[in-house]
Amino acid sequence: MGGHLSTLEENTMLFEEMRLTCTDFTEDVVEKLKAKMPLALQKAKGLDFIPYTVRDGAWQPGPCDGICWWTNGFWPGEMWEMYRLTGEESYRQEAERAENMLDAAFVEYDSLHHDVGFMWLISSGADFRMTGNDQSRKRTVLAANLLAGRFNPLGFIRAWNGDCVGWAIIDCMMNLNLLYWASDHTGDPRFRKIAMAHADTAMRHFVREDGSCNHIVIFDPETLDVKEIPAGQGYAAGSSWSRGQSWALYGFALSFLHTSKQEYLDTAKKVAQYFISQVKDDWIPRCDFRQPAGDDLKDACAGAVAACGLLELSKITEGKDAQAFFDAALSILKALDAHCTDWSNDYPAILTRCTGSYHGNDHNIAMTYADFFLIEAVLKLRGDTFLFW
Ligand code: GLY
């Protein structure tokens, strides 16, 4: 075999070798998931909303936008992940129940936004790709058309509604995957071209020289001139909101996977190296990498997202890079498991030290999307190659 392996085969073998070094950790977390998630599911049964966070031991909905709340795809996504992990029908049924609930969001169109990829690619999109359900296919294509409809031809997908006409945000890198899927599925390149135009703009205007990123950039929607770069969910303008860094890290890695455009991989690696340099003391991201020294506010969610991105990077890079990305992902996951989780079975969520935004009140909370990315990372460590994105 020596000398005849393609780079892809060599990378795959190296990833296999690396992931097999930590099967004790992986299987320990899998056992904890299998013990915990039936309770999470049972507490969601019969609710007329989709779980977002936890208060007094009970699931709570998102704080606004009703069924259009941007994280509402993550709960069905978690259920599909558990279905992949266990094959148990109860998870599949709950995923389908939540996917059906999401149909009301299409009718509440005014409250929909740039995050329709988060809402449908991992719910109906996962359903279609796993089961072939045609209704799920239609939902996912419809969501892709809604996202494409937000494109400003100067080169960005606008965020939010109302007077945010020229706003774009780094989080949207993850929503591009819905568009890549739509082009692959329909054979129509428009969706992919929109996604790449947005990713190119994000590379130019969001990612800084040192690998840190802006959260929000406000463009003049007539000219693409930059008007303002506000703090967004981070500490201050010019700071470095860790979850935004993780959206960029994973988002650019995925854009490379879907397009093979080398600059996306180079950008993902640059953001990843910056991210690692900021977390390597205890491997739990601060909410903002530039928040005041001594302020220990954390965001476990940023860690879970980054771990997924780092694992994907470790599959598509070589040698020392691959090893460094894999080791960082594992260190983050071990730190989250040891210091940021509630594995008890009277609390339905897993990760508890998540932060919505630096200046908000939503500090040290549970968030279903954090748990989604934690489970996704575990599936990757298990060798499951299904890509939710
Ligand atoms: N704005 C999406 C997030 O909180 O990550």
Side-chain angles (χ1 to χ4, degrees):
M1 276 169 71
H4 298 288
L5 291 176
S6 68
T7 306
L8 182 64
E9 285 168 323
E10 281 175 8
N11 289 358
T12 305
M13 279 176 58
L14 176 59
F15 182 76
E16 280 302 293
E17 279 170 27
M18 292 188 293
R19 77 172 191 83
L20 291 175
T21 61
C22 63
T23 48
D24 286 356
F25 170 73
T26 307
E27 291 313 309
D28 176 57
V29 179
V30 167
E31 287 314 306
K32 289 189 282 203
L33 284 169
K34 286 180 177 169
K36 168 104 184 177
M37 291 305 285
L39 171 93
L41 172 55
Q42 190 225 317
K43 289 208 174 207
K45 280 254 153 68
L47 294 179
D48 62 358
F49 60 83
I50 295 181
Y52 164 61
T53 188
V54 179
R55 197 170 53 238
D56 299 329
W59 284 123
Q60 303 294 319
C64 59
D65 289 344
I67 192 62
C68 296
W69 173 243
W70 72 277
T71 71
N72 277 346
F74 286 100
W75 173 250
E78 264 188 76
M79 295 296 98
W80 283 119
E81 289 176 332
M82 288 308 298
Y83 181 65
R84 294 192 72 77
L85 203 56
T86 65
E88 284 175 21
E89 282 300 314
S90 54
Y91 294 119
R92 174 181 168 147
Q93 285 158 9
E94 176 64 4
E96 290 169 349
R97 187 181 81 92
E99 181 184 331
N100 286 328
M101 286 171 79
L102 279 178
D103 282 351
F106 288 126
V107 182
E108 295 292 326
Y109 169 80
D110 281 353
S111 300
L112 279 177
H113 36 62
H114 56 277
D115 279 330
V116 292
F118 283 135
M119 291 178 70
W120 278 285
L121 185 58
I122 57 176
S123 58
S124 60
D127 189 344
F128 171 65
R129 285 175 290 151
M130 280 190 243
T131 73
N133 179 347
D134 197 51
Q135 191 62 25
S136 301
R137 178 190 63 78
K138 289 181 197 163
R139 291 171 173 135
T140 318
V141 175
L142 175 54
N145 276 286
L146 292 177
L147 187 57
R150 303 183 70 88
F151 183 61
N152 180 318
L154 293 174
F156 67 94
I157 293 171
R158 69 164 282 182
W160 298 303
N161 299 321
D163 57 3
C164 298
V165 184
W167 292 49
I169 63 171
I170 195 67
D171 325 24
C172 202
M173 285 304 303
M174 292 297 292
N175 288 303
L176 304 184
N177 302 304
L178 174 64
L179 300 176
Y180 296 129
W181 172 83
S183 270
D184 290 347
H185 177 69
T186 63
D188 183 337
R190 285 175 306 139
F191 301 101
R192 187 181 64 251
K193 287 185 183 298
I194 288 173
M196 291 179 77
H198 181 93
D200 291 349
T201 300
M203 263 192 314
R204 227 176 19 259
H205 290 290
F206 284 77
V207 183
R208 307 179 190 129
E209 204 42 54
D210 65 357
S212 68
C213 310
N214 299 314
H215 178 198
I216 300 173
V217 176
I218 305 177
F219 297 107
D220 181 326
E222 300 280 2
T223 64
L224 200 66
D225 289 339
V226 174
K227 288 169 58 182
E228 196 187 336
I229 302 182
Q233 285 162 254
Y235 171 65
S239 70
S240 173
W241 177 50
S242 62
R243 196 157 63 251
Q245 320 303 293
S246 69
W247 292 140
L249 192 172
Y250 198 12
F252 278 107
L254 289 163
S255 270
F256 171 74
L257 276 172
H258 289 296
T259 66
S260 300
K261 184 165 173 168
Q262 182 65 34
E263 282 170 278
Y264 297 157
L265 179 57
D266 296 343
T267 303
K269 286 169 69 173
K270 184 161 104 172
V271 176
Q273 275 145 5
Y274 170 78
F275 195 98
I276 293 169
S277 75
Q278 297 300 307
V279 291
K280 62 183 169 33
D281 287 345
D282 66 1
W283 298 103
I284 305 170
R286 282 159 289 143
C287 170
D288 191 309
F289 292 139
R290 294 180 189 160
Q291 69 200 31
D295 175 346
D296 204 34
L297 184 64
K298 298 286 194 181
D299 181 28
C301 182
V305 176
C308 288
L310 289 164
L311 288 174
E312 284 305 320
L313 279 181
S314 76
K315 295 180 188 174
I316 53 182
T317 52
E318 291 157 47
K320 278 201 285 207
D321 275 352
Q323 188 71 55
F325 293 140
F326 184 88
D327 290 347
L330 190 58
S331 298
I332 291 171
L333 292 168
K334 286 184 172 174
L336 297 184
D337 176 41
H339 304 294
C340 303
T341 46
D342 183 332
W343 290 113
S344 72
N345 55 14
D346 53 7
Y347 185 86
I350 304 166
L351 287 169
T352 54
R353 288 177 77 186
C354 306
T355 292
S357 65
Y358 184 87
H359 294 288
N361 296 321
D362 42 1
H363 293 178
N364 294 308
I365 62 166
M367 306 193 300
T368 39
Y369 60 115
D371 291 356
F372 173 90
F373 286 103
L374 179 71
I375 304 172
E376 184 186 342
V378 171
L379 285 168
K380 290 183 198 301
L381 287 180
R382 267 230 155 170
D384 186 339
T385 55
F386 180 83
L387 193 56
F388 276 83
W389 307 101

